[in-house]
Amino acid sequence: MTYVVTENCIRCKFTDCVEVCPVDCFYAGENFLVINPDECIDCGVCEPECPAEAIFPDSDDRATPWAELNAKYAAVWPNITRKIDAPADAQEWKDKPNKKELLSPEPQKG
């Protein structure tokens, strides 16, 4: 089992989860984070740290459509191991539905 980042992270990209991950399995896109399923040890410490409540175990039905996307982008985006500032408008985007089309395939810059 692994944990999966889902739609609610898009445009929010809070990184509180990154800070607590003991195996550094988060990868950063321009406006989204993903978890590498091959590196995740299923410890679950990231899930309660996510202010957007966007992280679920892969056994949760809400994670199913996002599992493949997490694996795909974890292979090409840079690893992130430290908390960074969330986008200035992150709170405005938190809990907005239907954000999948806003997901940028671009890696985090810098």
Side-chain angles (χ1 to χ4, degrees):
M1 190 165 89
T2 185
Y3 280 80
V4 177
V5 181
T6 63
E7 184 173 27
N8 214 31
C9 180
I10 298 171
R11 299 281 314 253
C12 292
K13 198 178 162 189
F14 295 106
T15 54
D16 303 62
C17 52
V18 171
E19 186 111 310
V20 298
C21 181
V23 294
D24 297 334
C25 66
F26 281 88
Y27 291 78
E30 184 175 39
N31 67 359
F32 187 62
L33 297 173
V34 295
I35 294 173
N36 185 323
D38 296 328
E39 296 173 355
C40 179
I41 60 170
D42 188 33
C43 68
V45 297
C46 59
E47 185 179 18
E49 295 300 318
C50 179
E53 298 179 357
I55 301 174
F56 299 99
D58 65 356
S59 59
D60 188 305
D61 289 343
R62 294 171 288 185
T64 302
W66 294 89
E68 186 176 316
L69 194 128
N70 273 240
K72 173 184 173 180
Y73 287 119
V76 294
W77 286 350
N79 185 242
I80 182 171
T81 60
R82 296 191 191 280
K83 184 177 177 177
I84 59 172
D85 292 335
D89 61 351
Q91 284 294 339
E92 295 171 38
W93 284 99
K94 183 179 170 209
D95 298 324
K96 284 197 179 190
N98 305 315
K99 297 191 290 183
K100 189 170 185 177
E101 68 274 0
L102 301 174
L103 174 62
S104 170
E106 296 300 313
Q108 177 176 292
K109 293 175 177 58

